Amino acid sequence: MSEEEKNMGSKPPVSKNEELTVTIEDLTYQGMGVAKIDHYPLFIENALPTEKVKVHVLKTSKNYGFAKVVERLTTSEERVEVTENHYLQTGIAPLQHLNYEAQLEFKRNQISELLKKVHLENIKVAPTIGMNEPYHYRNKAQVPVRLVNGKIETGFFKKNSHVFVPLEDFLIQDKRIDEVIKEVRDILREFNIEAYDERKHSGVIRHIMVRRGYYTHEVMVVLVTRSKRLPMQKQIVEAIQKKCPDVCSIIQNVNQASTNVILGKQNKLLAGRKQIKDQLNGITFNISPQSFYQVNPVQTERLYQAVAEGTNLTGKETVIDAYCGIGTISLTLATKAAKVYGVEIVPEAVVDAKLNAAANGIENTQFETGTAEEWMQKWEEQGIKPDVLVVDPPRKGLAESLIESAVKMNPDKIVYVSCNPATLVRDLQLFLGKGYTIEQPIQPVDQFPQTTHVESVALLQRTDS
Ligand SMILES: C[S@@+](CC[C@H](N)C(=O)[O-])C[C@H]1O[C@@H](n2cnc3c(N)ncnc32)[C@H](O)[C@@H]1O
């Protein structure tokens, strides 16, 4: 039994409001410092391994507690001095205080540690591919709009609270997106448009969403409203077009539900086009408001290059791209394959994927709307035999049923693109038990600098191939 397990159930060795001096031993996957008092973990924001800190205990439970730094007594060599605490407090940039080299290592290490836990330390993890400029990279922003001191503001909420922090520089968003948000906010102020009030479920504007093409510079503005009607619609649209000539799509999205989900189902095109365009590795993509599109274009090109290297296509292969979004991976691979099948659950994204294939003159793709689980089974029953399967699931990873269909289809290679190392390692174990092996290091690619998110690519190969 470990010391932690022995302590479980006994009274915590610290109590709320106590002040004590501790040394940080570790960093959690959420970027919090960990200090141990008699093996009892205290989680502390803005504290890095090796640092000695005086802390105030905020909360204790049976097995762990939370504390905040009162004074930092020693400073880690890996610390970046942060003058603006908002990005840590709102969770926009929970690793902002850790230097970038150390962030990249933190991400690589997360995957290695998870592999070690399940005795797969023989699988290597390559150094994380990082960015030269790890700020202002996001091509999409979804910013809440609230009334603060009688004024409409855009910003973010402090973590786990209803405290709203107005912001103008969002640190990790494309700078032009920040400017457009400010312009739109000012226009909403000018026309006295009401901000959403979540307690009363009243008001008009809930969020401003902005997307910008990295290569095309085309901008989409989505005004997410609680009400079906957008007062002063014509004037607002004209003002946005006048102030921001790069905006080529203005959409109203209606979300009447009391929910944290940002977008509702209904889009009304107010001006311009329903989609904006962007490019990745020389291929043009149309992007609708609801469609998933990787948020870091510079790193996405590197991510997709890692996928393409893993597949090592010769032009003869049949490929399945499960969880294909708007077909970005499918179309990247289609020029090097005989046929690519894609499946995606969001209908708008499938419309985009088909449009994208046509717009790029790519004729060897077939996109289906539905769940990857159901379509993998259908394709398996239809006798489709992929040489390569690419999976790029959401954080929850793969369903066991999909893994079963995949194994029955017996592809030579499975390229697993993951945004969650925990589910990646869980799923890899299942494939390893079913005739697949991993010979090449897993490749992390830093899609989300300053945050704790970890993206990586793993290549599974059939043992008898
Ligand atoms: C991480 S994204 C990857 C998209 C695409 N490969 C890319 O790089 O842009 C995952 C995608 O899976 C879709 N999705 C989620 N659950 C799904 C399911 N059960 N079946 C098919 N697609 C699903 C999401 O809508 C999203 O587009």
Side-chain angles (χ1 to χ4, degrees), residues 153-166:
E153 294 281 4
T154 46
F156 269 101
F157 290 95
K158 278 193 187 173
K159 270 185 288 180
N160 311 317
S161 89
H162 292 280
V163 179
F164 189 78
V165 184

Side-chain angles (χ1 to χ4, degrees), residues 28-46:
T28 67
Y29 294 164
Q30 290 80 32
M32 296 193 93
V34 187
K36 299 248 175 92
I37 296 111
D38 298 337
H39 305 284
Y40 176 89
L42 263 188
F43 299 117
I44 304 157
E45 199 175 78
N46 196 2

